[in-house]
């Protein structure tokens, strides 16, 4: 299973860190810290992953590795989000948004992750207007990338907000877009979530 693979990976990376033979202030060490954080992240051990992402940032700043710095900020935002620490999640997604590196420029995919992360955190904090603005930005970026799964995810997230605010017709239109895309890329589980939301909307309308 993925969990077992990840668990084995975190053990391997941790041992490599402990026996690292060179200076700890170099890019390969920062990269190893980041991979260790990722391994724990995929095991859903977010509190442990956080520690490695923070360490990655410290080394990445010294060795001017902007890509690791930015992606650690993003992963800190995600790790705090999955621990329901939305205030902290927002702090690191905003730091990622403001990040300007000399050796790495944010990609559209990076920006999409930022706006999706901000939108999700605001949503769970009950700040629906800010959630909507950020989720709309994510949708436009995903359309620009032509990533159908990401576009469908964005439509679903926006439909969720419309439904929360009683805008059922708008929610129906967005969920129909998401459903069509999920079916076209053969994502039956996600399509199932769309059918569930549609049935809930029709129930609330009647």
């Amino acid at each position: 299973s993925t969990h077992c693979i990840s668990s084995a990976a975190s053990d391997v990376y941790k041992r490599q860190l402990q026996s690292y033979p060179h200076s700890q202030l170099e890019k390969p060490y920062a990269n190893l810290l980041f991979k260790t954080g990722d391994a724990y992240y995929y095991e859903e051990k977010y509190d442990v992953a956080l520690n490695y992402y923070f360490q990655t940032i410290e080394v990445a700043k010294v060795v001017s590795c902007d890509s690791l710095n930015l992606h650690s900020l993003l992963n800190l935002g995600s790790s705090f989000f999955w621990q329901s620490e939305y205030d902290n999640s927002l702090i690191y997604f905003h730091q990622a948004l403001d990040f300007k590196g000399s050796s790495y420029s944010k990609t559209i995919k990076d920006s999409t992750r930022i706006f999706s992360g901000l939108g999700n955190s605001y949503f769970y904090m009950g700040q629906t207007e800010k959630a909507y603005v950020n989720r709309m930005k994510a949708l436009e970026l995903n359309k620009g990338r032509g990533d159908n799964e990401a576009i469908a995810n964005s439509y679903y997230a926006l439909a969720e907000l419309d439904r929360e605010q009683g805008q059922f017709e708008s929610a129906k239109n967005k969920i129909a877009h998401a459903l069509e895309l999920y079916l076209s890329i053969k994502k039956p589980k996600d399509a199932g979530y769309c059918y569930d939301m549609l049935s809930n909307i029709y129930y609330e309308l009647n």
Side-chain angles (χ1 to χ4, degrees), residues 143-199:
K143 283 180 176 178
R145 288 169 58 211
D147 182 335
N148 281 341
E149 185 176 0
I151 295 166
N153 291 343
S154 287
Y155 273 124
Y156 185 93
L158 287 162
E160 192 176 38
L161 274 165
D162 282 339
R163 185 184 160 212
E164 278 274 311
Q165 297 177 89
Q167 296 175 9
F168 298 121
E169 288 302 321
S170 181
K172 267 168 50 184
N173 289 336
K174 290 185 179 74
I175 210 68
H177 281 303
L179 177 59
E180 185 182 355
L181 287 165
Y182 284 136
L183 290 172
S184 74
I185 56 174
K186 296 180 172 53
K187 290 281 181 179
K189 188 176 179 182
D190 293 311
Y193 294 138
C194 293
Y195 286 124
D196 288 345
M197 192 189 288
L198 277 173
S199 66

Side-chain angles (χ1 to χ4, degrees), residues 94-106:
H94 275 295
Q95 284 188 21
L97 181 63
D98 296 337
F99 184 84
K100 289 181 176 62
S102 56
S103 63
Y104 180 84
S105 298
K106 277 197 281 279

Side-chain angles (χ1 to χ4, degrees), residues 61-135:
K61 283 178 180 173
V62 175
V63 298
S64 301
C65 191
D66 292 332
S67 62
L68 280 179
N69 198 338
L70 173 66
H71 293 131
S72 294
L73 290 171
L74 278 167
N75 290 1
L76 283 169
S78 296
S79 297
F80 278 120
F81 175 82
W82 290 117
Q83 293 186 111
S84 304
E85 294 184 40
Y86 306 121
D87 284 336
N88 283 327
S89 179
L90 285 174
I91 288 169
Y92 291 100
F93 282 128
H94 275 295
Q95 284 188 21
L97 181 63
D98 296 337
F99 184 84
K100 289 181 176 62
S102 56
S103 63
Y104 180 84
S105 298
K106 277 197 281 279
T107 64
I108 295 175
K109 189 173 182 179
D110 293 332
S111 296
T112 304
R113 274 194 69 194
I114 292 168
F115 289 121
S116 294
L118 288 169
N120 292 339
S121 295
Y122 281 126
F123 176 76
Y124 283 99
M125 292 175 78
Q127 297 188 36
T128 50
E129 282 185 31
K130 287 181 177 179
Y132 206 90
V133 167
N134 283 286
R135 285 181 171 182

